[in-house]
């Protein structure tokens, strides 16, 4: 029951974080074309006012619950080495931890993000994580 509860919490928290990235990259960024700079700035700040209250906490919950799920699902390493499932799960965990570290350092400690300053790279990494999540259960790349 604990595993199922953590998995549901993880899924919901990832939906919140991923949903923010989708909204920011697919809608708010495109509104620049239709709005003046001043209007776009106001709309974005109004949106971010609510995002700042929820998304950072959801990211922390996603990272903590993801670590638990990784621990429960990784399994033992056989004599033949890592299975394709373990490789993809490890890659997913690495990308998730990197996103989490970046977000936590930026939001809670005011440290500028690693390498990039926009939400485009995190958005792409979330897309990659989604594809890895689907592929890892089929046992092939």
């Amino acid at each position: 029951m604990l595993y199922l509860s953590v998995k549901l919490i993880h899924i919901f928290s990832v939906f919140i974080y991923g949903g923010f990235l989708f909204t920011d990259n697919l809608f708010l960024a495109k509104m620049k074309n239709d709005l003046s700079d001043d209007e776009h700035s106001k709309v974005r700040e109004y949106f971010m006012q609510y995002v700042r209250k929820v998304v950072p906490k959801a990211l922390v919950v996603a990272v903590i619950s993801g670590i638990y799920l990784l621990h429960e699902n990784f399994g033992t390493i056989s004599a033949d080495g890592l299975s394709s499932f373990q490789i993809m799960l490890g890659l997913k965990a690495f990308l998730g931890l990197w996103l989490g570290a970046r977000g936590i350092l930026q939001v809670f400690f005011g440290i500028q993000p690693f390498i990039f300053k926009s939400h485009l790279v995190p958005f792409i990494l979330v897309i990659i994580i989604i594809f890895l999540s689907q592929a890892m259960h089929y046992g092939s790349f």
Side-chain angles (χ1 to χ4, degrees), residues 31-48:
M31 287 175 28
K32 263 187 185 176
N33 302 336
D34 298 331
L35 301 174
S36 70
D37 288 341
D38 186 48
E39 290 172 325
H40 181 264
S41 178
K42 286 180 184 176
V43 168
R44 184 170 173 75
E45 184 53 39
Y46 185 73
F47 177 73
M48 293 303 285

Side-chain angles (χ1 to χ4, degrees), residues 37-123:
D37 288 341
D38 186 48
E39 290 172 325
H40 181 264
S41 178
K42 286 180 184 176
V43 168
R44 184 170 173 75
E45 184 53 39
Y46 185 73
F47 177 73
M48 293 303 285
Q49 184 178 29
Y50 294 101
V51 165
R52 286 185 195 106
K53 294 177 183 176
V54 176
V55 172
K57 294 170 183 79
L59 179 58
V60 170
V61 169
V63 169
I64 293 169
S65 59
I67 290 169
Y68 172 79
L69 294 172
L70 174 70
H71 177 267
E72 292 295 313
N73 289 300
F74 196 79
T76 59
I77 299 172
S78 70
D80 297 331
L82 295 173
S83 68
S84 59
F85 176 85
Q86 290 171 322
I87 292 169
M88 287 187 265
L89 183 59
L91 181 57
K92 228 178 92 171
F94 174 77
L95 295 175
L97 287 170
W98 192 78
L99 286 171
R102 176 208 177 265
I104 290 167
L105 288 173
Q106 181 184 12
V107 172
F108 295 108
F109 298 106
I111 298 171
Q112 287 302 315
F114 308 135
I115 302 172
F116 53 87
K117 295 189 186 251
S118 75
H119 290 131
L120 183 60
V121 173
F123 175 66

